[in-house]
Amino acid sequence: LVAPVGAGKTQIATTIVERLDRPTIWLAHRQELIEQAAIRLMTHDLHVGVVMAGYPPIHSARVQVASVQTLARRH
């Protein structure tokens, strides 16, 4: 999604993930954005895993929030 700061990109994307009701990967470039997304998704009762250094893997999570850099290194 592309929109100005404060336009609700995280909320819009969270609603899309909820409605998809299927395994989803959410990519971001910065730790702050990854943590923000994971928290928002969890507040919507979604099972979330974070794929980034310092976080234990949660393979059973329906939504994986990942660092682009981590995925590139692990590929």
Side-chain angles (χ1 to χ4, degrees):
L1 295 170
V2 178
V5 173
K9 294 180 291 288
T10 303
Q11 181 58 47
I12 293 166
T14 298
T15 300
I16 292 169
V17 169
E18 284 180 303
R19 291 182 183 180
L20 282 175
D21 194 30
R22 57 187 311 141
T24 305
I25 187 161
W26 179 306
L27 297 175
H29 286 284
R30 293 191 357 238
Q31 182 175 353
E32 297 83 15
L33 297 174
I34 292 164
E35 291 170 348
Q36 171 190 342
I39 290 166
R40 176 66 59 91
L41 291 159
M42 285 186 264
T43 63
H44 285 255
D45 295 325
L46 294 167
H47 190 201
V48 178
V50 175
V51 182
M52 188 171 65
Y55 288 84
I58 303 175
H59 301 292
S60 62
R62 190 180 69 134
V63 181
Q64 298 290 335
V65 180
S67 159
V68 173
Q69 295 84 352
T70 298
L71 288 183
R73 276 193 301 273
R74 292 184 184 183
H75 180 1

